[in-house]
Amino acid sequence: MIEFKNIQKKFGKQHVLHGIDLKFNQPGIFAILGPNGSGKTTLIKSLMGMVHPTGGQILIDGQIKQGNEYRNNIAYLPQIARFPENLSVNEFLDFIENIRGKATRKVELMTAFGVNEFADKKLRALSGGMRQKVNLVSALMYDTQTIVLDEPTIGLDPVALIALKDWIRKEQGAGKTILLTTHIMDIVEELADEIVFLLDGKVYYRGSQQELLQKTNTPSTEHAIAQLLTLKKAS
Amino acid sequence: MIKVFKYCFLDLIRSRWTIVYLLFFILTCGGLLYLSGDSAKVVVSLMNVVILLVPLISMIYGMMYMYQVRDYVEILLAQPISRKSIFGGYVLGLSAALSVSVALGILIPLAFYDAPQIMSAQWLMLTAISILLTVIFSILASWLVLANENRLKGFGLGLFIWLLLAVIYDGIFLVTLIALEGFPIERLALSLTLLNPVDMGRVLLIFQLDYSALMGYTGAVFEKFFGTLSGSLIIGGAYLLWISIPLGFLLRKARKKDF
Ligand SMILES: Nc1ncnc2c1ncn2[C@@H]1O[C@H](COP(=O)(O)OP(=O)(O)O)[C@@H](O)[C@H]1O
Ligand SMILES: [Mg+2]
């Protein structure tokens, strides 16, 4: 279980998160949405301990988050795929395994995303989409209760996109808690059990897709989100 | 920490630039030994090379490497290990790899030229000072990288620190000594030396080589100081501070930083 309690974050004078309260205490897929710069990545990084919130608390299974061990139970896909460029894909994955321990699902994931085909290539020689596939393998290769994906679809070809959706559904079936941010509404419509909409550093909406459609009186999540955004602009 | 250290060390040891660095010292040291034949003179020439170049290369190469690390460090931060072990491991790996290059670059030619001399005080001192300067400037470089997201500013500051400690400081030092000529300034001179790890290295070597006479009365005071046990302890302490204070800054920055 993951709980954000009144999370505040300021970068210098810029107030990015204004008291986020969110609780994820059941399995399922939670889509964290919001315009660019609304603080989705910042919120996720607070959970990962990469960003230090200026206020509030994060609870993991009811305990205030501390130390580093809790990350054993979280798989995290960074928004931007960056690697030690002079390593080959295989060497890089070995490097991660050397630090974190044997990954149980590496082979399966490499096959699913077609990473085998370029496993001996240097990371610096990979295209954006290939890098994102490596990013996915390195993030998902550990079997964790919580999975956090920051814009996982960027650069993926249709085949990889299907593989990713299948993987996420499989994990959903296995009772995992999956947080994901994306700007692709198809993914949200297809996968999300719940939607969290961030705006101006606050949780603007949280609930199921049906509720959102009823509330906004729109035919699709895409329209609903667009409406939330235009309402915001008008106000 | 050990795992990150091992990775970083092996990564750097295999790097082309580290090998170039090693070859440079092998060629310089070997060349000087075979051309001059006077090992004390070679130590002095090498000292001048070491004192300018080791801080410069450690700083620039260290910053280049650590900016690369900074680029992908998110992937490590997502693992269940502490920031201290990540950045501690890198700084240790960087210092170790560069130290090994310099030390081998000096000692390999010497071993071929006259192996028993490896154990002589002057060569040991030269090697020790090269390693100390490597460690200090590697730590400074890593700290600057974490403290400056703006690379241009980071490199600018790094070069400035090098210029200050390895080049300008000496000038200021001399001007001060000349301006205050006639006053009992030995203590001041001593303190000024202890404030700069590069100068400290130079002075230690000069006294190891018995060139102190060249420095007149001040030299005599220095020699007295460096000869005593408390003098050695103070120098050891000064180097320890030059390592631990920047390391403290670095680890503090690593702990507080948002990535
Ligand atoms: N390390 C940082 N330093 C300063 N500002 C930052 C930093 N990280 C994010 N920001 C700022 O915080 C805001 C939110 O960014 P982010 O969380 O990445 O948004 P999102 O992921 O929703 O697009 C942006 O305005 C961004 O410029
Ligand atoms: Mg983002």
Side-chain angles (χ1 to χ4, degrees):
Chain A
M1 190 200 74
I2 289 164
E3 185 173 1
F4 298 92
K5 268 186 166 169
N6 193 26
I7 295 295
Q8 310 268 348
K9 181 61 193 175
K10 281 185 190 171
F11 289 112
K13 282 187 185 141
Q14 193 190 2
H15 207 153
V16 177
L17 300 178
H18 292 259
I20 301 276
D21 287 297
L22 278 174
K23 200 168 179 174
F24 303 98
N25 55 358
Q26 70 224 13
I29 300 175
F30 302 89
I32 300 174
L33 308 178
N36 296 326
S38 56
K40 304 179 294 293
T41 298
T42 303
L43 184 69
I44 288 175
K45 284 186 172 180
S46 310
L47 171 64
M48 298 310 295
M50 292 172 185
V51 163
H52 301 297
T54 28
Q57 286 172 337
I58 295 174
L59 284 86
I60 312 269
D61 298 328
Q63 305 278 319
I64 290 178
K65 165 178 96 63
Q66 57 171 346
N68 306 294
E69 297 297 314
Y70 76 93
R71 285 196 291 271
N72 267 317
N73 240 324
I74 306 181
Y76 167 69
L77 179 89
Q79 177 172 355
I80 301 169
R82 286 176 169 150
F83 311 108
E85 299 290 322
N86 53 341
L87 297 187
S88 73
V89 175
N90 270 329
E91 287 168 336
F92 166 65
L93 295 174
D94 287 348
F95 172 46
I96 301 294
E97 283 190 279
N98 187 17
I99 285 172
R100 187 164 178 171
K102 184 105 188 77
T104 45
R105 313 151 97 184
K106 185 171 82 166
V107 179
E108 196 184 340
L109 278 160
M110 286 178 82
T111 315
F113 289 110
V115 171
N116 285 321
E117 291 153 37
F118 51 86
D120 290 321
K121 272 202 174 176
K122 296 273 183 208
L123 284 156
R124 79 171 90 83
L126 301 187
S127 75
M130 289 155 103
R131 299 171 71 87
Q132 184 66 356
K133 291 176 184 175
V134 176
N135 202 19
L136 281 164
V137 173
S138 74
L140 298 172
M141 63 187 183
Y142 293 93
D143 194 353
T144 59
Q145 174 55 36
T146 305
I147 299 169
V148 183
L149 307 171
D150 201 351
E151 310 211 7
T153 59
I154 287 180
L156 292 184
D157 57 46
V159 179
L161 200 57
I162 290 172
L164 174 65
K165 285 194 243 177
D166 287 348
W167 188 273
I168 294 177
R169 273 201 208 91
K170 197 186 88 190
E171 295 289 54
Q172 179 191 28
K176 306 289 181 73
T177 303
I178 299 149
L179 310 186
L180 76 95
T181 78
T182 182
H183 293 289
I184 316 288
M185 286 306 135
D186 292 349
I187 300 265
V188 178
E189 282 178 21
E190 250 180 83
L191 296 175
D193 295 313
E194 272 191 42
I195 288 175
V196 174
F197 193 81
L198 295 188
L199 203 58
D200 296 335
K202 291 206 186 73
V203 178
Y204 192 79
Y205 173 82
R206 157 111 195 231
S208 70
Q209 298 202 50
Q210 292 91 328
E211 283 172 75
L212 181 65
L213 299 191
Q214 279 166 16
K215 244 187 181 162
T216 51
N217 198 13
T218 45
S220 70
T221 304
E222 189 162 21
H223 287 89
I225 296 295
Q227 198 185 88
L228 289 183
L229 288 172
T230 40
L231 278 179
K232 157 68 188 150
K233 259 188 206 139
S235 65
Chain B
M1 176 127 87
I2 298 295
K3 286 170 179 169
V4 178
F5 162 74
K6 239 173 78 184
Y7 164 76
C8 170
F9 182 75
L10 291 178
D11 184 30
L12 275 167
I13 276 293
R14 284 178 312 193
S15 148
R16 196 177 334 148
W17 295 109
T18 316
I19 293 166
V20 169
Y21 192 45
L22 169 73
L23 286 178
F24 169 79
F25 275 104
I26 289 182
L27 289 179
T28 312
C29 181
L32 286 170
L33 276 172
Y34 282 95
L35 288 179
S36 125
D38 177 348
S39 135
K41 271 191 193 145
V42 173
V43 172
V44 175
S45 314
L46 270 179
M47 172 190 87
N48 289 319
V49 176
V50 160
I51 267 170
L52 277 182
L53 224 56
V54 166
L56 180 66
I57 303 295
S58 303
M59 181 67 94
I60 299 298
Y61 191 36
M63 290 189 85
M64 277 170 27
Y65 188 74
M66 289 308 283
Y67 270 125
Q68 269 179 37
V69 171
R70 200 264 161 266
D71 268 344
Y72 67 77
V73 78
E74 264 185 49
I75 262 199
L76 296 177
L77 292 166
Q79 311 305 326
I81 51 173
S82 69
R83 290 182 177 197
K84 204 180 185 174
S85 53
I86 295 175
F87 292 100
Y90 272 112
V91 130
L92 212 62
L94 176 66
S95 309
L98 291 181
S99 297
V100 165
S101 305
V102 183
L104 288 182
I106 293 174
L107 296 178
I108 288 177
L110 185 61
F112 277 100
Y113 178 76
D114 185 7
Q117 276 210 55
I118 288 182
M119 280 299 139
S120 72
Q122 52 189 20
W123 284 96
L124 283 181
M125 183 67 94
L126 180 69
T127 313
I129 283 163
S130 311
I131 291 174
L132 277 170
L133 291 178
T134 302
V135 173
I136 290 170
F137 280 83
S138 299
I139 294 173
L140 287 172
S142 310
W143 173 46
L144 284 173
V145 165
L146 285 189
N148 295 284
E149 287 289 311
N150 180 340
R151 287 166 200 223
L152 217 55
K153 195 175 154 207
F155 278 109
L157 281 171
L159 277 178
F160 177 73
I161 289 179
W162 169 77
L163 209 61
L164 188 71
L165 293 181
V167 184
I168 299 175
Y169 197 90
D170 238 27
I172 299 175
F173 188 99
L174 267 180
V175 170
T176 317
L177 291 193
I178 291 167
L180 296 176
E181 220 187 334
F183 293 90
I185 49 165
E186 288 70 32
R187 274 178 177 281
L188 176 69
L190 258 177
S191 332
L192 278 178
T193 303
L194 289 173
L195 281 177
N196 182 344
V198 181
D199 256 15
M200 211 158 37
R202 184 181 353 242
V203 169
L204 274 174
L205 264 172
I206 286 178
F207 285 92
Q208 196 55 244
L209 291 166
D210 251 353
Y211 280 130
S212 49
L214 297 178
M215 293 172 74
Y217 178 58
T218 313
V221 171
F222 269 59
E223 181 150 46
K224 215 170 131 209
F225 175 76
F226 284 104
T228 61
L229 178 67
S230 57
S232 316
L233 285 178
I234 288 175
I235 292 163
Y239 268 124
L240 211 61
L241 285 180
W242 261 105
I243 291 173
S244 55
I245 292 175
L247 190 62
F249 277 125
L250 164 68
L251 291 178
R252 191 183 120 98
K253 190 75 208 170
R255 196 174 66 235
K256 299 226 156 152
K257 191 174 166 59
D258 290 322
F259 286 90

